[in-house]
Amino acid sequence: MVTAVQPRTRTTASALTTVRLPSLRHFGPNWYATVMGTAIVATAGAGLPVDVPGLRTACTAVWALSAAMLAVVLTARAAHWVHHRDQAHDHLVDPAIAPFYGCLSMALLAVGTGTLTVGQDVIGHRAAVATAAGLFGVGTLIGLAAAVVVPYLMVVRRRVGPATASPVWLLPVVPPMVSASLGPLLVPHLPAGQWREALLLASYAMFGISLLATLTILPVVFSRLIHHGALPLALTPSLLLVLGPLGQSTTAVNKLADAAPGAIDAQYAQGFGAFAVIYGVPVLGFALLWLVLAAAMVVRAARKGMPFSMSWWAFTFPVGTCVTGAEGLAHHTGLVALEWLAVGLYVLLVTAWAVTGFRTLRGLLGGALLAAPRQT
């Protein structure tokens, strides 16, 4: 009886290993988008200019979920590099997948922002500041590296034509903008004087890095749409990625304006405050225009049978940055209309997150999202 059971146990364990390890072969860096899209729900909800009973508790729970998801995805990605190094290398030089390496940085930074915003309710203020600072440092370094390495590889390793331009190209250059939003939250926790001013201006410099890089890519993306038509159905949700740098830059200038007093000379602090409104209002206006355009394209694609894919996560984080941008402008202008805009966009964000999260969980459990991509 014993000898009959033992081989069966070994076979079962071996079979489980055989099934599980190959399933990670197609677990790409785009999975970090699930962490970003979840963390922004917590951060944006905590900043809403309305008092909703239980909202902060719910946001704290969502932040905890995003932190757990980050740990899981980091572990899975590490296993992917260990067991499927050839596929990981192919991803790195593939112009359709390589830009998603920017999502690693943004996932770290998004969880870091949530830690400092609502996570301190759970782990305490001191631990939250230390954790956010660590995630800021690592996330910023990875983001700056991605902003250089990914475009470099696209230039020297692949021949990319105008017809292949995609909003996905924005992903490697947006992380410095996310750093520019988290940096100001850490400024008050530094010693007064040079340290605070250095972090404030470094964050402002990263705002510039990301903004100017975005301004070089956006015309190429729009030109591709005009001259080559709509994106493939499955990629249509990626149009909302354009909202990312728009909403995040609006968020960044408002956070920088909040941190400027006490970190830099008063005359410059006033300039930061004025620039937050002068820059933020027209950029948020363009973001709303693009949101309507992208929504129309998504409706068109849905009518044509747009399938579910990981690109649906573009419905979450980019919209969330518009929520935080509207919240910042509402704070600096006192305009009630902006408060209601933030609330309306947040409702859209939560709806998109719930639907996309459910479809992702179902696809993950069913194995469809980890299967090899179909050959076309």
Side-chain angles (χ1 to χ4, degrees):
M1 294 292 293
V2 175
T3 56
V5 171
Q6 285 179 342
R8 188 177 302 172
T9 303
R10 293 193 188 101
T11 302
T12 302
S14 177
L16 287 174
T17 303
T18 304
V19 170
R20 288 176 181 174
L21 289 181
S23 68
L24 292 178
R25 181 167 181 79
H26 303 286
F27 192 89
N30 56 336
W31 280 87
Y32 288 116
T34 63
V35 180
M36 298 160 51
T38 302
I40 197 68
V41 171
T43 304
L48 286 177
V50 293
D51 185 15
V52 179
L55 177 60
R56 187 170 182 88
T57 301
C59 290
T60 303
V62 173
W63 162 78
L65 175 62
S66 70
M69 290 170 63
L70 176 63
V72 171
V73 176
L74 284 173
T75 301
R77 286 292 299 155
H80 181 269
W81 272 94
V82 170
H83 296 286
H84 306 289
R85 191 178 299 274
D86 60 324
Q87 183 77 351
H89 178 269
D90 290 343
H91 284 171
L92 190 59
V93 296
D94 187 338
I97 301 177
F100 285 98
Y101 275 91
C103 292
L104 166 57
S105 169
M106 290 187 282
L108 295 169
L109 295 167
V111 173
T113 301
T115 302
L116 204 55
T117 304
V118 296
Q120 60 180 327
D121 296 350
V122 178
I123 64 176
H125 179 71
R126 181 174 298 181
V129 172
T131 302
L135 292 172
F136 172 76
V138 176
T140 297
L141 290 176
I142 293 175
L144 291 173
V148 175
V149 173
V150 173
Y152 172 81
L153 291 176
M154 291 177 68
V155 170
V156 302
R157 291 294 185 91
R158 299 287 181 179
R159 188 174 299 277
V160 181
T164 63
S166 165
V168 171
W169 290 6
L170 291 166
L171 291 175
V173 301
V174 176
M177 192 69 78
V178 184
S179 293
S181 300
L182 175 55
L185 300 181
L186 295 169
V187 167
H189 302 286
L190 292 176
Q194 290 287 313
W195 284 99
R196 291 187 181 181
E197 184 174 355
L199 180 55
L200 182 73
L201 294 182
S203 299
Y204 202 82
M206 287 187 285
F207 162 83
I209 290 172
S210 184
L211 176 63
L212 295 177
T214 297
L215 292 178
T216 64
I217 296 173
L218 277 181
V220 179
V221 173
F222 189 70
S223 176
R224 180 255 178 267
L225 294 175
I226 295 297
H227 293 100
H228 300 280
L231 295 176
L233 296 181
L235 297 180
T236 301
S238 68
L239 288 171
L240 276 85
L241 293 176
V242 174
L243 298 177
L246 300 176
Q248 196 68 58
S249 63
T250 304
T251 301
V253 292
N254 281 279
K255 296 298 184 185
L256 289 164
D258 291 338
I264 201 170
D265 290 342
Q267 58 178 339
Y268 295 116
Q270 293 177 354
F272 273 62
F275 183 69
V277 177
I278 294 172
Y279 172 89
V281 171
V283 170
L284 185 61
F286 179 72
L288 294 176
L289 172 66
W290 190 273
L291 175 60
V292 174
L293 174 62
M297 299 294 289
V298 168
V299 170
R300 173 184 176 274
R303 289 177 175 175
K304 291 179 175 291
M306 180 181 70
F308 175 76
S309 68
M310 289 297 290
S311 66
W312 281 38
W313 281 97
F315 295 143
T316 58
F317 187 80
V319 175
T321 66
C322 292
V323 177
T324 55
E327 291 171 351
L329 287 174
H331 171 69
H332 283 106
T333 63
L335 195 61
V336 175
L338 287 170
E339 295 181 356
W340 283 109
L341 174 62
V343 172
L345 289 173
Y346 186 71
V347 171
L348 177 63
L349 167 64
V350 172
T351 303
W353 174 72
V355 172
T356 304
F358 173 76
R359 297 290 299 271
T360 300
L361 183 61
R362 188 171 70 176
L364 183 63
L365 294 177
L369 292 180
L370 295 179
R374 294 180 179 179
Q375 298 295 328
T376 57

